[in-house]
Amino acid sequence: MRRSLTTRSGTVNGRFCTTYEYEGAEYDVCDSALNAMLVNELFADTELSEEDKQQLLSAMLFADLPAAIETAGRDGFWDMVDAVLWDAMGVDLYGTRGAAGCEEPVFDWDEDAGRIRASLLQAYGLDWDAVAGSMSYGAFLDLVAGLMESGETPLQQAIYYRTAKCPRETKNNREYVEAFRARAAHFALHADRTEADRMDAANGAMASAFAAEFAAAERAVRADG
């Protein structure tokens, strides 16, 4: 994903957009956190045909679709979509780039929805419903990564127990290890869902991008400590 302090965002035809560049041309992409969640659901949908998904995706990504098609040209349109979708949301449309960040997904949009809402409110005073449509997906990832520096939050606690290694049990720490295992079991993603299911439900690329952001923040905090 590509983010910069000079990135321009604004409203186009009533929709939050950020300007991305591809082959010298600029495109206003609807990259709000809320729209990213909807794109995520689109990729996970098992009932829609690929043709239906293509039509919906293009309409979801561009507030002025005809202008985007005219600028990119019909022959180059989907290559442009692949590029801006990667920059905006870390989604590998053609499956040629590899998972964003190459990190193991450690969350689930559905299972952790409440934790995400509560953590944004606790750490930043942000109501997800109020800001999701006017905050880019990249900014959302930055906020979630920043939770590592914002004290303990519900999402941070869940991810910690999903990723931390359980200490080796000794005669002196048995109670602690048992408590650790209990918390890890409590926060574990549903055991009856395979990894493939979770990847379909949360889109592997987006989940991996999220995990990469969180892991980077965690490493930075540990280095500072």
Side-chain angles (χ1 to χ4, degrees), residues 47-69:
E47 297 183 359
L48 291 173
S49 68
E50 290 305 311
E51 183 177 350
D52 288 338
K53 288 185 179 184
Q54 286 183 352
Q55 293 179 356
L56 288 169
L57 178 63
S58 58
M60 293 168 71
L61 288 179
F62 302 102
D64 191 344
L65 180 57
I69 294 175

Side-chain angles (χ1 to χ4, degrees), residues 172-186:
N172 297 319
N173 71 349
R174 183 167 299 143
E175 290 186 2
Y176 174 79
V177 170
E178 288 178 353
F180 185 100
R181 289 171 177 166
R183 292 190 179 95
H186 171 74

Side-chain angles (χ1 to χ4, degrees), residues 5 17 31 35 42 68 73 75 112 124 152 171-172 203-205 215:
L5 290 175
C17 293
D31 67 339
N35 200 46
L42 178 66
D75 291 340
D112 291 319
Y124 308 112
E152 187 172 284
K171 64 180 181 180
N172 297 319
N203 187 285

Side-chain angles (χ1 to χ4, degrees), residues 26-108:
E26 293 185 337
Y27 299 87
D28 292 321
V29 181
C30 301
D31 67 339
S32 72
L34 179 59
N35 200 46
M37 299 301 101
L38 296 174
V39 168
N40 177 58
E41 291 181 359
L42 178 66
F43 275 93
D45 194 297
T46 58
E47 297 183 359
L48 291 173
S49 68
E50 290 305 311
E51 183 177 350
D52 288 338
K53 288 185 179 184
Q54 286 183 352
Q55 293 179 356
L56 288 169
L57 178 63
S58 58
M60 293 168 71
L61 288 179
F62 302 102
D64 191 344
L65 180 57
I69 294 175
E70 181 179 358
T71 301
R74 291 192 176 274
D75 291 340
F77 177 74
W78 284 106
D79 285 339
M80 180 273 291
V81 170
D82 174 54
V84 299
L85 192 59
W86 176 260
D87 286 345
M89 301 178 188
V91 175
D92 184 3
L93 184 64
Y94 292 151
T96 58
R97 304 173 188 271
C102 298
E103 296 281 350
E104 181 73 12
V106 292
F107 79 107
D108 182 278

Side-chain angles (χ1 to χ4, degrees), residues 8-19 28 30 63 133-134:
R8 303 194 309 276
S9 297
T11 301
V12 179
N13 293 338
R15 300 174 65 186
F16 176 89
C17 293
T18 298
T19 302
D28 292 321
C30 301
S134 58

